[in-house]
Amino acid sequence: MKILNRIQKTSFIFATLIVLSLGSFAQTADEGAKLFSANCTSCHSINEKIVGPPLKNVHKKYDEAWIIKWVKNSQEFIKSGDAKAVKVYEENNKIPMTSFATFTDLQVKSIIAYVKAESEKAPVASAASASSNVATDSETETTDLSDCINWLMVVSFLLLIIVIGLMISILEKLGDIKGKPSINWIRINGFLLLAFLILGMAAVVWEFYYHTKLTVNAQTPASAHGVIYDSMFNITLVLTGIMFVVTQVLLFWYGYRYKHSDTRKALYYPDNHKLEFIWTIIPAVVLTVLVVRGLQTWSAITDRNQNDKAQVIEVFGYQFDWKMRYAGADNKLGAHDFRKMGVWNELGVDPNDSASKDDIVTSELHLKVGQPVVLKFRAKDVIHSAYLPHFRVQMNVVPGLPTQFIFTPTVTTNQMREIMKNPTFDYVLLCNKICGSAHYRMNRKVIVESAEDYYKWLSTQPKLVAENTATAESDSKALATK
Amino acid sequence: MSNQNLNQDNHGHSDDHGHHKETFISKYVFSMDHKMIAKQFLITGIIMGTLGMAMSMIFRLQLAFPDMKFPFFEGIMGHWGKDGKLDPNFYLALITIHGTIMVFYVLTAGLSGTFSNLLIPLQVGARDMASPFLNMLSYWFFFLSSCVLVSSLFVDGGPASAGWTIYPPLSALPKAIPGSGTGMTLWLVAIILFIASALLGGVNYITTVLNMRTLGMKMTRLPLTIWAFLVTAVLGLLSFPVLLGAGLLLIFDRSFGTSFYLADIPADMAGGIERVGGSPILFQHLFWFLGHPEVYIILLPALGITSEVIATNSRKPIFGYRAMIGSILAIAVLSFIVWGHHMFITGMNPFLGSVFVLGTLIIAVPSAVKTFNYIATLWKGNLQLTPAMLFAIGLVSFFISGGLTGLFLGNAALDINLHDTYFVVAHFHIVMGSAAIFGMMSGIYHWFPKMFGRMMNKSLGYAHFWLTFISAYCVFFPMHFMGLAGVPRRYYANTAYDQFSTFVDMNVFITIAALIGGAAQLLFLFNFFYSIRKGKKATQNPWNSNTLEWTAPVKHLHGNWPGDIPHVYRWPYDYSKPGSEVDFIPQNIPEEGQTDPLQEMASQHNH
């Protein structure tokens, strides 16, 4: 029986392999491109070192079997003492590469095919952009410190400082000899305080004028609650702005106005209860306004009663990427268990739960405009934070602790592109909690679209359980035979 | 207590004559003299500060020029800077160690350790700390801790890299980031040694202030520096043990397979043992229970120093002395119930968030009172714009700017979009970083003559102030706008999302400003070390100040005063008092008709 079983299993695997390979040979590089952008780009690029080394010509340096072994479980491979593997590990500061045990050999091969195609393409691409490179090259050269002129400037600047320093010290020594200081430092510093106040305030105005438009607050909020968020922000900005100007002006003006003079005596004025009372009450009143308005805004945004109507989407964070799980027609996410994370099931979804049947796992976050959504967050390894600045949405993604955020996107990506007059603009989902080396690359596009486009896109996404049924069955069979 | 004072006074006097012979080791190394310990804290702090600042220069270069290669990176960092490119893991290590050094080693130990040690015995009128031996231990624990932290830079996998807040699971799983291996273990050891140092110091400060004041030094006659140091020590004593607990549990999770902070972590991620049932958020609660009071542990001594420096150099009493004490106490109490504002978006119950909003914004009231009192002190003063005074004014300016942005972050609703962005970086570098550093600088320029018997060079001091002040604003003010655009902190480069490319110029500008600010600190370092040996000789009371430390001779004595400890007759802020010829009246000068507190007490005993 055992032998029969084994034959049955191997023949099954062969059959699937043949079927798969026939279907996929033609589109290996395409398939590889998809896999590459979904799994590898947070740490690798073809030509540049990011967290991991550049992958250009990797197919020439290592044979295919070696690469497959490495990709599937590099740490085991290193432990086994393979000289090449150890060398790669050490060359890259002993930072282990994430293991992709879920990949089939074929999938890895398709990625290699993609890398191969890209490696061969690379010189052409760089030749094409050579003209633009020349421009940037010459630019960097002029700003390079190795440039003679710049060195001369640095040296003459240093000399100037030394000369000024010497002059000051000579003047001070002269003052010592004469018995009265020849530089009136107090006068100079008094004027500098005044100058700092005037120039500083001018700089603040300039900054607000030029840099406010770069902020998300200057853009139309892309969510329903973004409107009350922005109004709360503006109230705080105005109130603190007034306090800022009044106190800084008084501070520096008094610093200038009351600088030391031999002819004047300071006023002995140790206390005044009325004044103390006034400037306890004023901040207290201002803060009452901020607290009351702030808490109203806070409870409106975090109101859980919106829950019923909202469409459920799970956002799953892991080093260093995001996966989304759409709840499907029943609007219920299937159960999950971190122990089930593995070979074909990165998110650890329970395939036997009836709610899992229609769940859809994707790499992009698509949202239907005007549809309230509840994002349910889950993490695999460390704390991440899902941050969607244009929607005024952020929530930590904590392993073992489910969190959520409910909001309604109101502006589609296309509308926002028009508003911002920027045809390449995209909303983004960023990781905003330090999570490791490629933290800074852990982001995904967010697309808000019309209902029509949204359903069109969703229908192209494969269902999680259906897609993997074959694999799941063979898995459970394998378990049973054990 | 009055009896104790009486004894101590007589006892101290006789003690003074029967000194042990001092060897080099007992005088300069294992010294039990609070003035020497203060200098040890200061110099260690300055060395650590220089290291922390140098790190910030490296990661600022990376942030401004993410595509450029700096060959010297390989020279100083070896394989972490291979081919002149900073490794992303080492970038995280640098920001982690930079934060740790600045928060704990410079602004806690370097600031509070230096000035509490120097000023508490001298300003309350005591011969030394309550326990000179514990005081010595406090320094040597700190020194050991610094050594452990610095040595962690050289271990395999690099130093701790999970951010200075070391949130688990990132800090608990070496598989998640290489810095969470040996480097993290050493970080934890260093912090535990540090906590031991802080506690030993704190116990001493509190005891000395409460029990060892000279005759006539009522609590309401204490300089505001002492009030600040006292309250700081209490804060430290109540909050540091919580961090110790948090650290120990993390050590258990890391080394002994427990799951205090770990939940749903598969075995292959966590050293072969599946971790279930813990809570990563628990660590954050414990950490910030220290972490928030820590902000005031850093800030209060700086504010205390500023009160003293501003009053002395304005030649005016500090405005609202009692209100200042009241606001220090209010800030201290409130600082224990606001830690949750660091955690609004961890998924905590929104109602709990509301409570933390209320507490956080209330803290702004005593802070505002302090600010207005400083400004009122300047009003109609006769300002001696010494470098110390300028740094104090700079502190007030930073305290305003950074305090006001706290009103955005403390409001849970607004925190949603600002949390962990550059807005936060700007906020705390201004209100906690720059303000506290300016308080420390102000203190160094002001008390340098007391510490080393020499004056620092004034013109270098002015150059240092203006360059630092302007560059600090140039570095941190623009960061607010990056934060408002949603740029997250702790990003190795802002290249992965196209929209952030609008900040390329700003990042270059910030880095240039930071380099200038860094270069300005070289002026300070030169001035400091040169003046120790070659500065102008100081007079006994160079700033015409009222407090007791200036009644002690320039040359340091073990026991502080050659004869009796001076008795105190008045508060420390009698500057420009009407009816007096000079514009200052030190605390040890009796008012007309006032009797010596010693006789007063003796007569009370007779009754």
Side-chain angles (χ1 to χ4, degrees), chain A residues 93 189 260 387 426 431 433, chain B residues 79 87 417 420 466 491 497:
Chain A
N93 291 325
N189 279 296
H260 179 80
Y387 181 35
D426 264 312
C431 178
K433 184 65 79 189
Chain B
H79 65 103
D87 186 278
N417 225 39
D420 267 343
W466 283 109
Y491 265 24
Y497 176 51

Side-chain angles (χ1 to χ4, degrees), chain B residues 403-607:
Chain B
L404 288 172
T405 50
L407 296 180
F408 291 79
L409 295 165
N411 222 329
L414 296 182
D415 189 56
I416 293 172
N417 225 39
L418 298 174
H419 189 90
D420 267 343
T421 63
Y422 265 87
F423 194 88
V424 179
V425 178
H427 163 72
F428 73 75
H429 274 100
I430 289 178
V431 79
M432 184 172 96
S434 302
I437 286 277
F438 270 50
M440 187 172 169
M441 287 299 172
S442 175
I444 293 173
Y445 280 100
H446 193 76
W447 279 288
F448 190 87
K450 190 75 247 164
M451 276 189 266
F452 298 100
R454 288 174 188 272
M455 308 295 282
M456 283 177 85
N457 183 297
K458 236 183 177 180
S459 28
L460 278 178
Y462 289 129
H464 175 219
F465 168 75
W466 283 109
L467 287 173
T468 313
F469 190 48
I470 293 169
S471 62
Y473 262 125
C474 286
V475 169
F476 300 120
F477 200 82
M479 284 186 186
H480 291 113
F481 293 87
M482 285 170 70
L484 292 176
V487 180
R489 68 194 278 212
R490 291 166 173 166
Y491 265 24
Y492 168 71
N494 295 320
T495 47
Y497 176 51
D498 292 343
Q499 295 297 310
F500 294 157
S501 61
T502 44
F503 289 104
V504 170
D505 293 342
M506 192 187 277
N507 266 320
V508 173
F509 174 79
I510 290 173
T511 297
I512 291 170
L515 289 172
I516 292 172
Q521 306 318 304
L522 298 179
L523 285 182
F524 166 74
L525 289 177
F526 170 75
N527 194 358
F528 183 85
F529 288 106
Y530 181 82
S531 302
I532 288 179
R533 302 205 64 82
K534 298 273 171 98
K536 253 188 239 166
K537 286 246 162 67
T539 52
Q540 187 178 320
N541 190 356
W543 318 117
N544 293 340
S545 183
N546 283 343
T547 38
L548 285 186
E549 75 272 28
W550 305 106
T551 63
V554 176
K555 193 171 158 31
H556 283 182
L557 295 173
H558 205 145
N560 294 341
W561 286 272
D564 289 336
I565 297 179
H567 297 164
V568 165
Y569 298 89
R570 58 178 74 232
W571 77 326
Y573 297 110
D574 271 342
Y575 291 107
S576 305
K577 200 171 186 186
S580 160
E581 292 224 336
V582 281
D583 65 355
F584 69 110
I585 314 173
Q587 285 187 281
N588 61 336
I589 308 289
E591 284 185 52
E592 230 170 288
Q594 229 181 351
T595 49
D596 189 327
L598 189 64
Q599 290 168 8
E600 209 174 283
M601 229 166 50
S603 66
Q604 271 173 7
H605 269 277
N606 292 341
H607 282 300

Side-chain angles (χ1 to χ4, degrees), chain B residues 280-293:
Chain B
I281 302 302
L282 170 65
F283 178 84
Q284 298 185 20
H285 280 293
L286 295 175
F287 182 88
W288 288 114
F289 190 83
L290 157 92
H292 200 78

Side-chain angles (χ1 to χ4, degrees), chain B residues 20 66 75 86 88 91 148 176 220 238 267 347 367 388 393 417 473 541 580 598:
Chain B
H20 315 283
L86 180 63
Y91 169 84
V148 173
T220 48
L238 292 176
S367 308
I393 291 175
N417 225 39
Y473 262 125
N541 190 356
S580 160
L598 189 64

Side-chain angles (χ1 to χ4, degrees), chain A residues 41 52 80 84 89 169 210 251 284 299 329 353 386 427 441:
Chain A
T41 44
S80 75
K84 272 186 181 173
Y89 182 56
S169 82
Y210 279 97
L251 177 70
S299 55
D353 186 357
Y427 295 122
R441 296 179 63 83

Side-chain angles (χ1 to χ4, degrees), chain B residues 312-354:
Chain B
T312 305
N313 289 299
S314 299
R315 315 309 296 159
K316 260 188 82 182
I318 191 88
F319 185 85
Y321 174 75
R322 278 166 195 256
M324 290 299 246
I325 297 174
S327 49
I328 290 177
L329 292 172
I331 288 174
V333 172
L334 288 169
S335 75
F336 274 102
I337 53 165
V338 299
W339 79 89
H341 67 222
H342 297 269
M343 302 167 58
F344 286 138
I345 57 154
T346 51
M348 68 156 68
N349 187 316
F351 177 72
L352 188 57
S354 311

